Amino acid sequence: MNGKKSSKRAPTISDVAREAGVSRAQAARALGGYGAVSEAVMARVEAASAILNYRPNQLARSMNTGRSQTLGLVVGDIENPYFSLALRGISDFARGEGYDVITINTDEKVETERDAVRVLMDKRVDGLIVVPCDSRQTDHLRQVLEEGQVVTLFDREVEGLGIDAITASFVSATREAIGKLLALGHRRIAYLTTMPDYSSYRQGALLSVSPVAQRIKGLEQAYAEAGLLYDSDLVKFNAMGPQKVSAIIKELLNMHEPATAIVASDNLIAMAVLKECRRCHLRIPRDLSLLMYDDFPWTELVDPPLTVVAQPVYEMGQEVARRTIAGIRGQKLGPVPQFEANLIERESFGRPRRCKD
Amino acid sequence: MNGKKSSKRAPTISDVAREAGVSRAQAARALGGYGAVSEAVMARVEAASAILNYRPNQLARSMNTGRSQTLGLVVGDIENPYFSLALRGISDFARGEGYDVITINTDEKVETERDAVRVLMDKRVDGLIVVPCDSRQTDHLRQVLEEGQVVTLFDREVEGLGIDAITASFVSATREAIGKLLALGHRRIAYLTTMPDYSSYRQGALLSVSPVAQRIKGLEQAYAEAGLLYDSDLVKFNAMGPQKVSAIIKELLNMHEPATAIVASDNLIAMAVLKECRRCHLRIPRDLSLLMYDDFPWTELVDPPLTVVAQPVYEMGQEVARRTIAGIRGQKLGPVPQFEANLIERESFGRPRRCKD
DNA sequence: ACCACGATTGAGACCGGTCTCACAACCAAA
DNA sequence: TTTGGTTGTGAGACCGGTCTCAATCGTGGT
């Protein structure tokens, strides 16, 4: 139905020039607002442009300016409300500066991330915003940086790349949250993350800058402050999907000393935990306390309303966009602002149950 | 930090040709896999390309093929999980066919939609997927259609444009849901939508194809089947944001014959209703029954789990992408498949309370 | 009247690819 | 040996803009 015959080919600057009776160069100058143009020519060209309903071809413009006015966003999963809110922040800011955004999902697979970066480079985006899915495999990032591309990281840092990363700082909010759990009497607090287990997180250095590492650090600090030592067996990686989470919960509850509280590293895990609890008739916070990262509208609507550590996702989105665009323009913006996560207390914390059952 | 000096300019096909000792045309043929190329040249060019780490400039390619391998998505608010799930469906399918997606938010403002369409046209996207925010102001769509652009609508139809629209069919699921409410004894069932009130929805024709119209139709059918007449004063437009929703709920409960059930046209409204109920200590379903459109993971986690009318959003997203790309390629795909919405019964329906208080 | 200088203007190169066309080389058929 | 048809190849036009450069024009200074 649609493109019956591409009816009228879109008018080009040559058409406008002919209509106005001037040279291509002159028409371009009039429309582009650069160089010197007389009143008369300006008027004629504007009229011609209006008559033909001329719109400049951005592709052609990009060709020789080298700027495409487009940002590339490489993200794990845009369906995840965390990222879609970030995208909203990014595109709102970008739009205000005349940039558009191409989004590509990686599903947290490095191979896909590599492809995505390449595709976006090929499309000559002016800047790249990347949520790197593996802090160790970053050759592709290093390579595009060498080519002079502007890259900004979001949500996760990578050491040694020497580029900005917009992240929230989780240590203090986490320490505060875990402190409350400890005060309530919890000792066995499990941490669930979708992150794959890199042989062991205890190698520390590798993960030292990721949000997960920060959160675990905050957790350990809280234990230390209480004069306790955290049992790192309670950190569970690879909690992707409801089945995995379900299995992990079973494991945690069947330990010699069962977990009495769960920290969910993101909203998907938290939902899986909630679902599993409902299935097994476990009541929160009576049977299990729950802390989740990120605050979404529904978290205060569930039963019980969830205590969460929130980060200003939308604002962080705006900030990556701001810094990326500044980078493109060659501006310096000073140090990355600290986005501090904060604890929002609702009703998913309670005293631990004494014994099993 | 980033673009210190754009270190090495990206190699072009000329560089490859020189390195391989052949003409530009020949190098292009070898790389592009068209025309006739001898074994020897092929090998030399491939080697040169690998050495230089050559990547073709998609912009330049787009220039004269006229195809940018990019889709434009114009959507109300990507933060809305309904749309972000749809986007996921769209980009997954698009990616599989070698297309990328530029997303622009309209905030449901026609003016912004107009701009968005223009910007995307200027960037020469190959096809446009639009969630039109006003079924009456569609000149900009009509115009790009005349220019031969491929456009597919999503979520909402517009009459007289003669293009595909991917929507779910809501009549029967809604009739079923409302039938259950009527059977439980409800008579005063309110419908809340963010849609602005076009003087009055009773003009019918204007809204005849929108999802909202379909839902109201299903609602009225259910009443008719029960031998009742629906009081159209119970349809409340313009329910944008928690405050509006809050005001509307107050109004509904203070009517001479108060509403005993609420139908929320989208998840944002439903959340606002839930929040308001919590604030006013109204219990669902004891004091008020609630039906919401769209099914999201959290709907079965809230208190109580929500009865919803679900639509296969992800699949619908895939389908728009499929049809848009088919349109670009000039293929015909036959009639648009019917996506039937279906009722998922959970626990937010109950008997209406007898009197006030 | 003559020259310098700035404002206007058009010709044409260029961005990095694709693609048409003419021509050379090669082989089999006549 | 001449003819015809197939590769293989390079030259160069083209996509639709931007931008450099030199030429032209008008004008004030001397």
Side-chain angles (χ1 to χ4, degrees):
Chain A
M1 270 327 118
N2 272 323
K4 44 171 64 179
K5 220 149 215 164
S6 229
S7 3
K8 331 156 185 169
R9 189 182 46 78
T12 73
I13 193 126
S14 300
D15 298 325
V16 175
R18 194 176 321 112
E19 174 80 17
V22 297
S23 71
R24 257 171 54 242
Q26 208 50 4
R29 273 188 277 255
L31 262 17
Y34 63 96
V37 181
S38 66
E39 300 267 317
V41 168
M42 181 64 95
R44 293 225 305 283
V45 170
E46 274 173 354
S49 163
I51 289 173
L52 297 175
N53 195 20
Y54 169 77
R55 308 244 72 221
N57 183 333
Q58 289 299 337
L59 248 47
R61 176 170 295 180
S62 300
M63 274 284 316
N64 43 11
T65 58
R67 277 164 281 111
S68 60
Q69 299 295 110
T70 306
L71 264 31
L73 173 63
V74 180
V75 84
D77 175 11
I78 197 57
E79 188 200 335
N80 185 326
Y82 173 76
F83 290 127
S84 69
L85 181 51
L87 168 57
R88 188 66 222 248
I90 293 171
S91 31
D92 281 357
F93 188 89
R95 194 88 287 278
E97 302 288 321
Y99 285 82
D100 293 307
V101 182
I102 297 183
T103 309
I104 302 188
N105 300 99
T106 64
D107 286 317
E108 304 292 355
K109 292 200 278 269
V110 196
E111 201 41 63
T112 316
E113 178 178 315
R114 221 187 298 275
D115 278 358
V117 168
R118 191 172 314 180
V119 166
L120 290 170
M121 288 295 288
D122 290 352
K123 292 218 167 166
R124 296 303 191 265
V125 295
D126 294 338
L128 232 38
I129 296 172
V130 179
V131 180
C133 54
D134 189 327
S135 59
R136 299 170 312 165
Q137 297 179 258
T138 57
D139 293 347
H140 51 298
L141 295 180
R142 197 160 271 118
Q143 186 184 328
V144 298
L145 282 169
E146 260 174 34
E147 291 172 23
Q149 176 66 295
V150 174
V151 182
T152 317
L153 302 179
F154 187 77
D155 186 48
R156 306 165 196 168
E157 282 187 59
V158 171
E159 279 183 324
L161 240 39
I163 55 178
D164 288 347
I166 308 301
T167 58
S169 166
F170 291 106
V171 179
S172 114
T174 303
R175 190 178 50 224
E176 184 186 351
I178 302 298
K180 307 239 172 193
L181 283 174
L182 291 173
L184 284 166
H186 291 272
R187 289 299 175 269
R188 304 287 292 168
I189 304 175
Y191 186 96
L192 270 62
T193 170
T194 53
M195 232 178 60
D197 181 5
Y198 298 144
S199 70
S200 158
Y201 90 96
R202 260 156 280 164
Q203 298 189 351
L206 277 180
L207 310 186
S208 62
V209 284
S210 79
V212 171
Q214 278 194 33
R215 295 168 185 183
I216 293 176
K217 189 169 159 195
L219 191 158
E220 289 175 333
Q221 282 186 8
Y223 268 76
E225 279 176 3
L228 299 164
L229 192 65
Y230 182 62
D231 175 5
S232 53
D233 284 348
L234 288 167
V235 176
K236 298 297 178 187
F237 293 91
N238 212 13
M240 295 192 96
Q243 320 86 312
K244 287 267 180 60
V245 171
S246 165
I248 290 174
I249 291 182
K250 284 209 186 66
E251 183 193 338
L252 287 170
L253 297 182
N254 286 327
M255 285 175 112
H256 178 59
E257 293 182 89
T260 59
I262 287 184
V263 180
S265 200
D266 69 45
N267 61 89
L268 266 18
I269 295 180
M271 284 197 281
V273 170
L274 248 26
K275 209 172 276 185
E276 180 65 13
C277 285
R278 182 157 299 193
R279 216 172 55 78
C280 300
H281 304 290
L282 289 168
R283 299 275 305 271
I284 294 175
R286 206 195 54 179
D287 302 314
L288 201 59
S289 289
L290 178 62
L291 171 68
M292 142 169 164
Y293 282 87
D294 297 337
D295 185 33
F296 293 109
W298 59 265
T299 50
E300 51 177 322
L301 265 18
V302 296
D303 180 29
L306 263 33
T307 294
V308 301
V309 170
Q311 44 178 326
V313 186
Y314 181 82
E315 289 74 14
M316 288 165 64
Q318 289 189 116
E319 182 65 20
V320 234
R322 169 181 300 115
R323 300 191 83 85
T324 307
I325 292 173
I328 293 168
R329 297 183 175 150
Q331 302 163 354
K332 278 257 161 57
L333 238 43
V336 178
Q338 266 302 331
F339 290 95
E340 195 67 40
N342 66 301
L343 178 64
I344 299 180
E345 292 188 74
R346 290 201 271 251
E347 299 161 31
S348 60
F349 280 13
R351 304 195 158 279
R353 303 203 64 184
R354 273 295 137 236
C355 217
K356 54 181 63 181
D357 261 346
Chain B
M1 269 328 117
N2 272 322
K4 44 171 64 179
K5 220 149 215 164
S6 226
S7 6
K8 331 156 186 168
R9 189 181 47 78
T12 73
I13 193 123
S14 300
D15 298 326
V16 175
R18 192 176 323 114
E19 175 80 17
V22 298
S23 71
R24 256 173 55 245
Q26 209 49 7
R29 275 189 276 256
L31 262 16
Y34 63 96
V37 181
S38 67
E39 300 267 317
V41 168
M42 181 64 96
R44 292 223 307 284
V45 170
E46 273 172 354
S49 162
I51 289 172
L52 298 176
N53 195 21
Y54 168 76
R55 307 245 72 219
N57 183 333
Q58 290 298 338
L59 249 46
R61 177 170 295 178
S62 301
M63 274 283 315
N64 45 10
T65 58
R67 278 164 281 111
S68 60
Q69 300 295 107
T70 306
L71 263 32
L73 172 63
V74 180
V75 84
D77 176 10
I78 197 57
E79 189 201 334
N80 185 324
Y82 173 76
F83 290 126
S84 69
L85 181 50
L87 168 56
R88 188 66 222 249
I90 292 170
S91 32
D92 282 356
F93 188 89
R95 193 89 288 279
E97 301 289 321
Y99 285 82
D100 293 308
V101 182
I102 298 184
T103 309
I104 302 189
N105 300 100
T106 65
D107 286 317
E108 304 292 355
K109 291 200 279 266
V110 196
E111 201 41 62
T112 316
E113 179 179 313
R114 221 187 299 275
D115 279 358
V117 168
R118 190 173 313 181
V119 166
L120 291 170
M121 288 294 289
D122 290 353
K123 292 218 168 166
R124 296 301 191 268
V125 296
D126 294 338
L128 231 38
I129 296 171
V130 179
V131 181
C133 52
D134 189 327
S135 58
R136 300 170 312 164
Q137 298 178 258
T138 56
D139 293 348
H140 50 298
L141 295 180
R142 197 160 272 118
Q143 186 184 326
V144 297
L145 282 169
E146 262 175 33
E147 291 173 24
Q149 175 67 295
V150 175
V151 182
T152 316
L153 302 179
F154 186 76
D155 186 47
R156 306 165 197 169
E157 280 187 60
V158 171
E159 280 182 324
L161 241 40
I163 55 177
D164 288 346
I166 308 301
T167 59
S169 164
F170 291 104
V171 179
S172 111
T174 303
R175 190 176 51 224
E176 185 185 351
I178 302 298
K180 307 239 171 191
L181 284 174
L182 291 173
L184 283 167
H186 291 272
R187 290 299 176 267
R188 305 285 293 167
I189 304 175
Y191 187 96
L192 271 62
T193 170
T194 53
M195 232 179 60
D197 180 5
Y198 299 144
S199 69
S200 157
Y201 90 95
R202 262 156 280 163
Q203 299 190 351
L206 278 179
L207 310 186
S208 62
V209 285
S210 79
V212 171
Q214 279 194 31
R215 295 167 185 183
I216 293 177
K217 189 169 158 193
L219 191 155
E220 289 174 334
Q221 282 187 7
Y223 269 75
E225 279 177 3
L228 300 164
L229 192 66
Y230 182 63
D231 174 6
S232 54
D233 284 348
L234 288 167
V235 177
K236 298 296 180 187
F237 293 91
N238 211 14
M240 295 191 95
Q243 320 86 312
K244 288 266 179 60
V245 172
S246 165
I248 290 174
I249 290 182
K250 284 208 187 67
E251 184 192 337
L252 286 169
L253 296 182
N254 286 328
M255 285 175 114
H256 177 60
E257 295 183 87
T260 59
I262 287 184
V263 181
S265 200
D266 69 44
N267 62 87
L268 265 19
I269 295 181
M271 284 197 279
V273 170
L274 249 26
K275 209 171 274 183
E276 180 65 14
C277 286
R278 182 157 299 193
R279 217 171 53 79
C280 301
H281 304 291
L282 289 169
R283 298 275 305 271
I284 294 176
R286 207 195 53 179
D287 302 314
L288 202 58
S289 289
L290 178 62
L291 170 69
M292 142 169 164
Y293 282 86
D294 298 334
D295 185 33
F296 293 109
W298 58 265
T299 51
E300 52 177 321
L301 265 19
V302 296
D303 180 31
L306 263 32
T307 294
V308 301
V309 170
Q311 45 178 327
V313 186
Y314 181 82
E315 289 74 15
M316 288 166 64
Q318 288 188 119
E319 183 64 20
V320 235
R322 170 182 298 116
R323 300 192 82 85
T324 307
I325 292 173
I328 293 168
R329 296 184 176 149
Q331 303 163 353
K332 279 256 161 56
L333 239 42
V336 178
Q338 266 303 330
F339 290 94
E340 195 67 40
N342 67 301
L343 177 64
I344 299 180
E345 291 186 74
R346 291 201 269 252
E347 299 162 32
S348 60
F349 280 12
R351 304 195 157 278
R353 302 201 64 183
R354 272 297 136 235
C355 217
K356 54 181 62 180
D357 260 346

